Amino acid sequence: MRIVVADCSVDYAGRLSAHLPRAKRVLMLKSDGSVLVHSDGGSYKPLNWMSPPCALTTLELEDEQHDAGIVEAWQVVHAKTGDKLIVSLFEIMSDSSHELGVDPGLIKDGVEAHLQELLADQIELVGDGHQLVRREYMTAIGPVDILARDAAGASVAIEIKRRGGIDGVEQLTRYLELMNRDPALAPVQGVFAAQEIKPQARTLAEDRGIRCLVLDYDAMRGMEDHNTLF
Amino acid sequence: MRIVVADCSVDYAGRLSAHLPRAKRVLMLKSDGSVLVHSDGGSYKPLNWMSPPCALTTLELEDEQHDAGIVEAWQVVHAKTGDKLIVSLFEIMSDSSHELGVDPGLIKDGVEAHLQELLADQIELVGDGHQLVRREYMTAIGPVDILARDAAGASVAIEIKRRGGIDGVEQLTRYLELMNRDPALAPVQGVFAAQEIKPQARTLAEDRGIRCLVLDYDAMRGMEDHNTLF
DNA sequence: TACTTAATCTCGCTC
DNA sequence: GAGCGAGGTTAAGTA
């Protein structure tokens, strides 16, 4: 990993064209050839970058570049797409390299799969007397998150999202359309469950007779812990 | 901007929980308080991070942390959500600060908006005798990319995507459903235009009577240049 | 390997 | 400020 702090301008030509006017920035050159151009603010996204696999070469300076005050120029080319990033350096404030080694990587938990697990275990949240049939119930066009039966024994197809948007409603609608053609399942009631349901999605869902269910992740997790403890 | 290269472990607790085992990494501390944890590889996305607005404080070390070899510990807390990032430093290889100033920002062109512009200018690509009514034609549920009329004067609603998937077809279907209720427009023919149309999307579109149109961006741009030149 | 879906998405625009 | 769509999306999981 090489880190350069420099007054520079950057040009990108690939799926789009982009230009960064001259300013002081941090240039991160990773050992896989990738380059990140960061400013002192914004989010984790660099102003500009080149993803691996790619290769960096130092360009020969032409007279007019030299006259313009450029002291060094890099060309970073993507190995597959040919996308090109050109960094023109006017002044280098700092240039250092560090051997980091391979990173052991991130360990994370607490995502959408967990919501499905929790709701399967607490299926009564969908309605009194509901019973789980199975998770990831396969259909011809993909798996429905949860298939259940209500107190009367009627089928209930549940689509779970962390944030419920229109896409999720469309997805559930396609499943319902298909499942309602199966005499063994029909009629199938739809339930759209999410931690947060967007107004447009709720409107669309209710217009189609799909029930909306807002999930309280913390409460469900707390319930789970409680169940585990006793 | 402060850049620290250190042997460290990182813990994040917020919308999810995540942990980074001890390893050498680059820590970028931006002046807005945000922190990025980068390894020597991967993409532009950091292994872990905290977005602004947030604040960094140096924690008092407890005896057991000291015994474990930790020489410094930071706590970065998000100002609104309360998300927390804790960095435990075991050894600091490098620690430097640089004044960068405010970045002038990225200038970009050549995205989807451009495709819409090009197709509006070259509306005859949709079919002989077609005429542009307007771009971004507003409906109650959002703007249709292009509204045109065919040679016979019938309405044509065009949805443009760079990559055409099922989502885009669903979107256009919703527009068509709404527009066909308007006597001044009905009947409205749908055209799904994209640089690349996925097979599933094409099947769904054609099943619904929506015409598919594959756009050749380079040819359209070339045509545009040609028009400008002569 | 190709495709589908989620993301601590981010970013920009509109209402 | 909230909502919605696009992204050089990126990244992870699955068929």
Side-chain angles (χ1 to χ4, degrees):
Chain A
M1 168 91 75
R2 177 177 169 200
I3 298 167
V4 177
V5 181
D7 183 13
C8 63
S9 68
V10 182
D11 288 278
Y12 167 79
R15 272 162 288 188
L16 60 74
S17 297
H19 174 71
L20 278 172
R22 183 176 169 176
K24 279 190 205 173
R25 300 188 180 94
V26 173
L27 308 164
M28 195 180 277
L29 290 75
K30 298 193 175 188
S31 57
D32 56 10
S34 60
V35 176
L36 281 62
V37 182
H38 268 282
S39 64
D40 195 2
S43 67
Y44 66 68
K45 196 178 175 182
L47 292 166
N48 219 326
W49 72 94
M50 184 59 73
S51 314
C54 61
L56 184 147
T57 52
T58 300
L59 297 175
E60 290 282 320
L61 288 183
E62 291 171 25
D63 288 343
E64 58 179 35
Q65 288 180 299
H66 197 272
D67 293 345
I70 296 174
V71 295
E72 199 171 318
W74 303 335
Q75 184 181 59
V76 192
V77 180
H78 195 276
K80 290 184 177 174
T81 63
D83 290 13
K84 200 178 286 186
L85 188 76
I86 291 172
V87 183
S88 303
L89 302 146
F90 293 85
E91 190 187 349
I92 296 173
M93 279 78 189
S94 166
D95 187 343
S96 58
S97 293
H98 302 273
E99 197 57 49
L100 298 183
V102 177
D103 202 278
L106 187 69
I107 301 157
K108 62 164 101 173
D109 55 16
V111 274
E112 177 177 313
H114 200 197
L115 265 182
Q116 192 193 107
E117 238 173 83
L118 289 168
L119 188 60
D121 281 350
Q122 303 172 37
I123 196 72
E124 69 278 4
L125 286 174
V126 180
D128 288 339
H130 279 59
Q131 291 201 314
L132 176 71
V133 175
R134 65 163 300 167
R135 286 166 53 192
E136 303 285 350
Y137 179 86
M138 275 309 295
T139 73
I141 54 171
V144 176
D145 287 339
I146 290 180
L147 181 66
R149 291 198 181 273
D150 66 15
S155 300
V156 181
I158 308 168
E159 177 64 34
I160 301 171
K161 293 283 175 209
R162 213 164 60 78
R163 271 176 303 182
I166 282 179
D167 286 1
V169 180
E170 297 286 15
Q171 193 181 340
L172 179 54
T173 303
R174 289 197 295 274
Y175 287 138
L176 288 170
E177 212 175 298
L178 195 77
M179 296 171 84
N180 270 313
R181 288 187 209 151
D182 181 348
L185 292 173
V188 185
Q189 160 73 17
V191 173
F192 189 54
Q195 276 188 275
E196 176 204 339
I197 295 178
K198 297 188 179 177
Q200 288 197 351
R202 177 180 289 275
T203 305
L204 184 65
E206 288 172 351
D207 185 58
R208 293 182 178 174
I210 293 169
R211 200 142 54 86
C212 289
L213 177 64
V214 175
L215 302 174
D216 183 333
Y217 178 66
D218 291 328
M220 289 171 76
R221 193 166 44 177
M223 188 65 71
E224 193 71 4
D225 291 347
H226 193 271
N227 287 343
T228 309
L229 283 170
F230 301 97
Chain B
M1 169 90 76
R2 178 177 168 201
I3 298 168
V4 177
V5 180
D7 182 14
C8 63
S9 68
V10 183
D11 288 278
Y12 169 79
R15 274 160 287 186
L16 61 74
S17 297
H19 173 72
L20 277 172
R22 183 175 170 177
K24 279 190 205 172
R25 301 189 178 94
V26 173
L27 309 164
M28 194 180 278
L29 290 75
K30 297 194 175 187
S31 57
D32 55 10
S34 59
V35 176
L36 280 62
V37 181
H38 268 282
S39 63
D40 195 2
S43 68
Y44 68 66
K45 194 178 178 184
L47 292 165
N48 217 326
W49 72 94
M50 182 61 72
S51 313
C54 62
L56 184 148
T57 52
T58 300
L59 297 174
E60 289 282 320
L61 288 183
E62 292 172 23
D63 286 345
E64 58 178 34
Q65 287 179 301
H66 197 274
D67 293 345
I70 296 173
V71 295
E72 199 171 319
W74 304 335
Q75 183 180 59
V76 192
V77 180
H78 195 275
K80 290 183 175 173
T81 62
D83 289 14
K84 199 178 287 184
L85 187 75
I86 291 172
V87 183
S88 302
L89 302 146
F90 292 87
E91 190 188 351
I92 296 174
M93 279 77 189
S94 165
D95 187 344
S96 59
S97 293
H98 303 274
E99 197 59 48
L100 298 184
V102 177
D103 201 278
L106 187 69
I107 302 157
K108 62 163 104 172
D109 55 14
V111 273
E112 177 178 313
H114 200 198
L115 263 183
Q116 192 191 110
E117 238 172 82
L118 289 169
L119 189 59
D121 281 350
Q122 303 173 35
I123 195 72
E124 69 279 3
L125 285 175
V126 179
D128 288 339
H130 279 58
Q131 291 201 315
L132 177 70
V133 174
R134 66 162 299 168
R135 286 166 51 191
E136 302 286 348
Y137 178 85
M138 277 307 297
T139 73
I141 53 170
V144 176
D145 287 338
I146 290 181
L147 182 66
R149 289 198 183 276
D150 66 16
S155 300
V156 181
I158 308 168
E159 177 64 33
I160 302 172
K161 294 283 176 209
R162 214 163 59 78
R163 273 175 302 181
I166 282 180
D167 288 1
V169 180
E170 298 286 13
Q171 194 181 338
L172 178 54
T173 304
R174 289 196 298 276
Y175 289 137
L176 288 170
E177 210 176 301
L178 195 77
M179 296 171 85
N180 270 315
R181 288 186 210 153
D182 182 347
L185 293 173
V188 185
Q189 161 71 18
V191 173
F192 189 55
Q195 278 188 270
E196 175 203 338
I197 295 178
K198 296 186 180 177
Q200 288 196 351
R202 177 179 290 274
T203 304
L204 184 64
E206 288 172 353
D207 184 59
R208 292 181 179 174
I210 293 170
R211 201 142 53 85
C212 289
L213 177 63
V214 174
L215 302 174
D216 185 333
Y217 179 67
D218 291 327
M220 290 171 76
R221 195 166 45 178
M223 189 64 70
E224 193 70 5
D225 291 347
H226 194 270
N227 287 344
T228 309
L229 283 170
F230 301 96

